[in-house]
Structures are given as C-alpha cells and as structure tokens.
Amino acid sequence: MPDGRIDLPLLTPNHPLGRQSVTCEYRCGNACSHDAPNTSGNTYFGDVVRSIVSRRGMLKAGAVLAVAGAGAAVVGGAAAADDSKHQSENSDRHRRPRGMDFKPVAPNTADQVTVPEGYVQSVVIGWGDAVLPGAPAFDFDNQSAAAQAKQFGFNNDFCGLVPLWRDQYLMVSNHEYSSESFMFKGYSSANPTEEQVKIGWAAHGMSVVVVERDRRTGKITPKVDRRYNRRITATSTFDVDGPAAGSAFLKTKADPTGRKVLGTLNNCAGGVTPWGTVLSGEENFNQYFANGKEITDPVTKARLARYGLAGGASGRKWERFDDRFDIVKEPNEVNRFGWVVEIDPLEPNENPVKHTALGRFKHEGANVHVARDGRVVAYMGDDERFDYIYKFVSKERMRPGNSRYARAHNKKLLSEGTLYVAQFTGDSPDFTPGVLPADGEYDGVGKWIPLASGDQSFVDGFTAEEVYVFTRLAADKVGPTKMDRPEDVEANPRTGLVYAALTNNTDRGKPGKEGPTEINPRGLNRHGHVLEWEEAGGDNTALTFSWRLLLVCGDPNSADTYFGGYDKTQVSPISCPDNLAFDRHGNLWVSTDGNNLGSNDGLFATATSGPERGHLKQFLTVSTGAETCGPVIEDKFVLVSVQHPGELDDASADNPLAHWPDGGTSQPRSAVVAVWKPGHRIGS
C-alpha cells in the first residue's frame, strides 16, 4: 500500500485489546484472531481423577509448597484472610524483603520510560546502532541489508548478561521480528522489494555486544569490540544437535544432512545458563512460511495445522526471494525452526546450536536450573492459547568451573535427557468458576508426563524423532493441561520454586472451548496470572509437584484479582505478565506485554515469601506502543528491552505517532535501557 501501512484483519472479539493489531500481525501473524491450533480432545484438568491424590495425602507425602513459598490462593476475601493468617504465623521468620524499597511508578501513557523517584536512566543501544566494526551510522532513509547486518537489530526482546571482567559484560539481545511498515517509508506489504526483505533478514536474530559500566556515573555504554561483538541473522549458520539431528524431517535440498540450518526466527525470551551461554526461544516461526494450505497429504497437513501453518502467502512475502520459505517447494524447512537455540558469546567463532532434545513448539524461551544431583533442568512454555508447559532433565551432570573442558562438557548437557509435559490437578473436586473453592485457595498438585528420552519414545504411535519434531502433537496424546499462553518459566535461584507467566487467553470459556479450571480460573482471561510450584521434595528432577497461584492479574479493585493475599489497596495494577526475572534476594520481577488496563506496559516486582509476598510494585513503564521485555536485575542496575515503541495501528514510518527514544519528530526505535540509582543498589 502506498501509504506504508500494512493490510490488517478486522479485530475479532478474542483479540487481546491491550495490544495494537499491527503488533499482532507482525509479531505472531495475528495468531489470536485465528482459531487456537490445539483442537485435541484429550482429558484435562477438570476431568482428571482427583481421588488419586488428596491435599491431605500430599501434605503427608511432603510435596506441598515449602513455608518459604507459602501464600494463599486466588480472589475473594476468604482467600485473603486465609493467606493473612499464613503470613502472620510466619512473619517472625522473615525480615522485610531487600531490594523492594522504591516508590512505585503510577500507570501512565507517556511517550517515555518512567522510572521511580531518585533513579536515572539512559539508552544503552538501539536499532541501527553500530555492533560490528565498519558499521555505518544509522540512516533511516537510506538503510541497506549490508548496514543492518553490522548494526543492532530490530525489536529487541530478551536481554542477558555474561560477565567478561569487572564492570564489563557481554550483552546478548534477541531481535524477535521486523515491522516493515515502521522500517520503510512508502512500504507496500503486497510488493516488498528484495532489498527490504534482505534488511528484514538482517534485522532478525541476535546481537552480542560488549557493554561497560562506568563505576563513577553508573552509565552503561556499548563498545564496538572486534573480538566478541557479533550479529546473528536469518541467514547465519546453525548446527543441529540432539536426537533429531539428521532426521529425515529436517533434511532439505540445500541441507541433505539435516544438520545445518540457516538462521533463527522470532527469537522471544531466553536465559543465561550456569556455564555462561545464552538460550533463546524460537517462537512464532510459522508466520514466515507460505502456502501451507496447498499441502494435501493428510498427515503433513495435520502437522502443519497444529503449528498454525494453514495459510497462503506470508505477510512479509519472503517466499518470493527464497524458496525455503515456501512449504510446497521446501516442505521440511519449517521443521528446522521452533527450537531452543544456544549461543556461546565467549566463543564468537562457534556456530550457535539448535537443541532438538528440548522439543519443537512455539518456545517463549528456556531457563536452566541446576538440580541437587548436578543434572540440569530446563523449563519451557509454549506460547499459544491452550498449549502446555514443559521441562527437560539432562542425562549428564554439570561440571563445575570455567575451564575449557568443563564448558565443552556443559554445552552438551541439553543434547541428551528426558523431555516432559505438565499435567496440573486442582484439589477441589467441586470447583465452580467464580466461586472460591471450599478449602479457601486455588491450589493443587501435578505430575510430569514423559514424552521421549534419547531414541526412546513414551508416546504411543510416535517415534522418538516424531516426538521431538512434532512435540505438540505428541503432547496432545498424553493428557497435559491446557494453559493460558505459557510464556516465561523460571526457577527462583534461591529456593528452587518455579514460576510461570500465563499472559492471557480470551478464548477460555467460549463455546466449544475449555472453560475455567482451578489453575486457569477465569473465563475470557484478559489479564493473565502467575503460577508457582514446588517440585516434590525440593528436587527439580522430580516427577510430581504441588502448585498455587501467586498473582491473578488485573485491576486490584476487581473481585477476580489476587495478589498473594496482600492488601489489594496497596498494590500496583498489572495486566498480561510475560517475562520473569529474579534479583539476588529472590524477589520476582515481572514484565508485561499487552496491558489491558489502559496504561503503558511496565516492569513490576514482588517478594515471593514472608509478609510482603504479593506486595506488587511497579518499577517502571515503557513508552507509547511498546512492551517491556528482557529484564535483567543486577544489584546496581536494571536493564529492560523496550520493544516496538510507537507501534500503533494508525502509525507508520510515513506517519510516526511516537518518537521515543530520540524525541522531536524522529522515528521510534526499539532499544535497551539501563536504570540505576546513583550511589545505591537497586531497591535500596
């Protein structure tokens, strides 16, 4: 279209109204306006035979949440009163949490990043800034693919730090997606140019940048470092490892080995491993591939449909310039995306790796926790309405230290192990939506159902290769719990308790869709919730666990919200939790995506135990049209990724309606922002 706008579908009733439709179109192919691809009819939460485990039985088995993670359930005065009792009983065991002493930021719609009183901020690096030596100065009106390949990519999401030496870090950022009508004036979504497409390829992927903190001022600045700085794009070479490497499902004309892939797409969240690498999740990869509706083989068609690939031309039209994005011409290329990627920022000459042992789905990300026996556990969410939570337990144990031998061993830990999917059961057999369970809280137990380990499948009718490559369909067969868009899943490094952000699900309870369950307690869920669980015996490799809800998000004045039992008149409103992080005190930090309460998205923090559990406080808000991503919480600073600023339905590069971070009449640019309090630690 000559005005630079993208052709947008009409908003449907299940569209998450806190997010602009142009963002939905570019980031996920407008997934929420289509039917959820999980159409399986397996048994779920409300129908599980509850008599096999009663709450009293679990108490006797010692598998309930530890006192340090205690908190009551969701909604209503009875739950709050019950949790207050818990807090009163335990208040003498806990000091008020450190790291939470800041005045909350009020909800707002300002075209700026707003931080607490006494804090300062600066942009670390933004779209188009130099990453590699020789990168030209960013010129919006004269961008090229060659320039973009040396510059910081578009729409930075996850951000992670790997220490290099004192006050220097390797900062790794994901570049989730490109928004072409905000990148090019006069952009035509029907007829993009080859150069525009190639700029889009270069704008995707990841950036590795050396950043340095000035100990005197606190400011963090990037360095154009010749040794470590790196750009990974949609055309970079990746190695495939794990049990599905070399599978017939991964072989293409360009790669008959099934072991080398070009590029990574739609990299959303991620995590820093204990051995100093970075994991990145390939999420909404389906939108980049065209002509799925032309496939007639029923088995292949069902596989494509389960991953949301039933359409015609892609939104970006990449298939016009590379046949690998046309499913008819290259049917297996799509199977080479949807993995967890591992990159070693300390080894810039190593190819990144796609780990097939962790399964293939719409990975929000992956976060690793070291279990007591030294094995590592990776927790993962499949970010789709009614999809599942997974974990992977390694076969081998982590080796301590940073020697070359130890790091080489540890970088293989995610190559072999067992992949599981979660089934959650409530402890209230007579659960009724909108009615607080008789025991005064929304909680229960669960189990991990094995899917595959090495070359062994645990799913009837599926080979191990099929489990790894078509994980969603394999999981459908074993009865996991349908969740409300599982996003970040991360273990608290101090307690081992695990937390999951469930962003929203406006389809829950609609005709023909699964209704509210004790773990997903609201129909037409617009605001999401945060789940907490403890693995049995505190062992993160265990096969059973107990759970409860920490937050049911939304307006605190609404009866259907819950904040860990804390006084709701004292908390910040929150909507659509997305990414999670922890500070060194064990406080949980939550960033949001798609605020449905009329405010800009933000970053929030709460204690997870003691009398301040659930006392949610907003630390910052991001600018107009943006979401808050990739929080990094250090003692002396916080980093957030401000993604898709100015991405508003009536805006485009020809008509910018927001101008952060450069101000004036400038085009908006995604960027990483540092926030700190001069002379103090964060939250002190």
Side-chain angles (χ1 to χ4, degrees), residues 2-213:
D3 65 357
R5 297 182 185 174
I6 182 172
D7 297 313
L8 294 173
L10 292 174
L11 288 179
T12 58
N14 62 354
H15 191 280
L17 298 177
R19 187 191 300 160
Q20 299 290 302
S21 57
V22 67
T23 299
C24 290
E25 184 66 19
Y26 277 127
R27 184 170 65 181
C28 61
N30 211 39
C32 287
S33 72
H34 305 295
D35 288 338
N38 189 351
T39 59
S40 60
N42 50 352
T43 302
Y44 293 105
F45 185 88
D47 301 318
V48 173
V49 180
R50 304 174 190 274
S51 61
I52 58 174
V53 185
S54 69
R55 187 166 184 264
R56 290 183 182 271
M58 285 305 292
L59 282 166
K60 291 178 181 179
V64 294
L65 288 171
V67 170
V74 186
V75 309
D82 184 72
D83 199 69
S84 297
K85 178 183 71 174
H86 286 304
Q87 292 174 350
S88 176
E89 290 171 351
N90 293 301
S91 61
D92 61 338
R93 307 184 188 187
H94 300 275
R95 293 183 298 177
R96 294 182 66 84
R98 295 181 178 180
M100 294 286 296
D101 188 13
F102 58 86
K103 184 178 179 180
V105 167
N108 64 79
T109 57
D111 189 25
Q112 64 182 39
V113 174
T114 304
V115 299
E117 293 179 6
Y119 286 78
V120 295
Q121 60 172 298
S122 69
V123 171
V124 178
I125 190 171
W127 172 45
D129 289 343
V131 171
L132 301 182
F138 180 58
D139 184 347
F140 183 91
D141 293 314
N142 295 285
Q143 181 67 314
S144 69
Q148 179 66 87
K150 295 182 176 182
Q151 298 166 336
F152 199 66
F154 202 77
N155 276 340
N156 47 286
D157 195 304
F158 169 78
C159 180
L161 294 181
V162 174
L164 198 54
W165 45 79
R166 185 175 181 182
D167 293 311
Q168 283 202 337
Y169 306 84
L170 293 171
M171 186 181 77
V172 182
S173 294
N174 285 350
H175 301 295
E176 185 175 5
Y177 67 98
S178 53
S179 305
E180 278 76 4
S181 64
F182 293 87
M183 298 170 68
F184 310 113
K185 292 179 179 177
Y187 177 71
S188 169
S189 60
N191 292 291
T193 68
E194 183 174 4
E195 185 69 7
Q196 287 171 338
V197 166
K198 289 182 175 179
I199 291 170
W201 293 347
H204 278 71
M206 306 170 75
S207 292
V208 181
V209 182
V210 173
V211 296
E212 185 173 54
R213 179 180 176 273

Side-chain angles (χ1 to χ4, degrees), residues 468-668:
Y468 297 119
V469 180
F470 308 111
T471 310
R472 281 183 164 182
L473 289 104
D476 290 342
K477 294 272 289 184
V478 299
T481 302
K482 292 181 174 181
M483 304 297 287
D484 287 356
R485 288 189 56 210
E487 301 251 15
D488 227 359
V489 187
E490 188 163 349
N492 187 325
R494 289 180 63 88
T495 66
L497 272 66
V498 189
Y499 297 78
L502 290 308
T503 292
N504 54 42
N505 184 356
T506 52
D507 269 7
R508 185 166 291 280
K510 285 188 174 181
K513 305 290 185 180
E514 184 182 69
T517 62
E518 195 168 355
I519 196 166
N520 298 289
R522 293 187 296 196
L524 309 180
N525 181 7
R526 299 180 62 198
H527 301 296
H529 48 288
V530 175
L531 166 66
E532 171 188 74
W533 72 85
E534 184 185 35
E535 306 276 17
D539 178 3
N540 289 80
T541 70
L543 299 183
T544 59
F545 54 86
S546 57
W547 64 266
R548 68 177 72 225
L549 298 184
L550 173 63
L551 302 174
V552 178
C553 302
D555 183 347
N557 293 318
S558 176
D560 68 351
T561 57
Y562 171 76
F563 292 80
Y566 201 83
D567 179 358
K568 293 203 298 179
T569 66
Q570 302 299 313
V571 304
S572 297
I574 181 174
S575 178
C576 300
D578 187 351
N579 299 138
L580 306 177
F582 295 91
D583 60 29
R584 71 182 181 94
H585 309 293
N587 299 316
L588 176 66
W589 293 68
V590 183
S591 66
T592 65
D593 167 22
N595 190 326
N596 273 315
L597 295 173
S599 171
N600 289 350
D601 278 310
L603 178 65
F604 302 76
T606 179
T608 57
S609 63
E612 293 290 299
R613 174 181 165 90
H615 186 185
L616 191 77
K617 300 168 68 175
Q618 183 157 8
F619 182 75
L620 59 76
T621 53
V622 293
S623 60
T624 303
E627 71 172 278
T628 317
C629 301
V632 175
I633 316 300
E634 295 286 329
D635 269 359
K636 296 181 179 179
F637 60 88
V638 166
L639 298 180
V640 292
S641 297
V642 182
Q643 192 188 53
H644 58 76
E647 205 162 272
L648 305 169
D649 287 346
D650 293 329
S652 68
D654 297 286
N655 181 39
L657 298 179
H659 308 284
W660 185 90
D662 300 318
T665 60
S666 66
Q667 299 284 347

Side-chain angles (χ1 to χ4, degrees), residues 166-325:
R166 185 175 181 182
D167 293 311
Q168 283 202 337
Y169 306 84
L170 293 171
M171 186 181 77
V172 182
S173 294
N174 285 350
H175 301 295
E176 185 175 5
Y177 67 98
S178 53
S179 305
E180 278 76 4
S181 64
F182 293 87
M183 298 170 68
F184 310 113
K185 292 179 179 177
Y187 177 71
S188 169
S189 60
N191 292 291
T193 68
E194 183 174 4
E195 185 69 7
Q196 287 171 338
V197 166
K198 289 182 175 179
I199 291 170
W201 293 347
H204 278 71
M206 306 170 75
S207 292
V208 181
V209 182
V210 173
V211 296
E212 185 173 54
R213 179 180 176 273
D214 187 305
R215 278 177 272 172
R216 182 179 59 85
T217 66
K219 187 174 182 179
I220 297 175
T221 54
K223 306 295 180 184
V224 179
D225 186 89
R226 293 183 177 274
R227 179 178 180 184
Y228 290 112
N229 280 19
R230 188 177 183 186
R231 274 303 322 278
I232 296 167
T233 72
T235 58
S236 300
T237 300
F238 283 73
D239 295 334
V240 182
D241 89 337
S247 164
F249 298 121
L250 301 183
K251 294 179 179 179
T252 64
K253 297 183 185 73
D255 173 33
T257 71
R259 295 178 180 272
K260 296 286 183 183
V261 176
L262 291 184
T264 186
L265 297 172
N266 214 259
N267 298 71
C268 195
V272 179
T273 69
W275 49 93
T277 63
V278 171
L279 303 180
S280 173
E282 296 180 327
E283 193 181 20
N284 294 295
F285 62 90
N286 58 302
Q287 64 173 306
Y288 300 91
F289 294 87
N291 300 325
K293 69 179 182 180
E294 303 298 325
I295 301 300
T296 57
D297 173 67
V299 173
T300 304
K301 194 175 186 69
R303 289 168 173 167
L304 292 172
R306 185 64 179 87
Y307 284 85
L309 287 126
S314 72
R316 293 175 178 81
K317 310 298 188 294
W318 287 3
E319 66 274 14
R320 296 182 182 178
F321 304 97
D322 191 334
D323 285 350
R324 69 188 178 117
F325 296 107

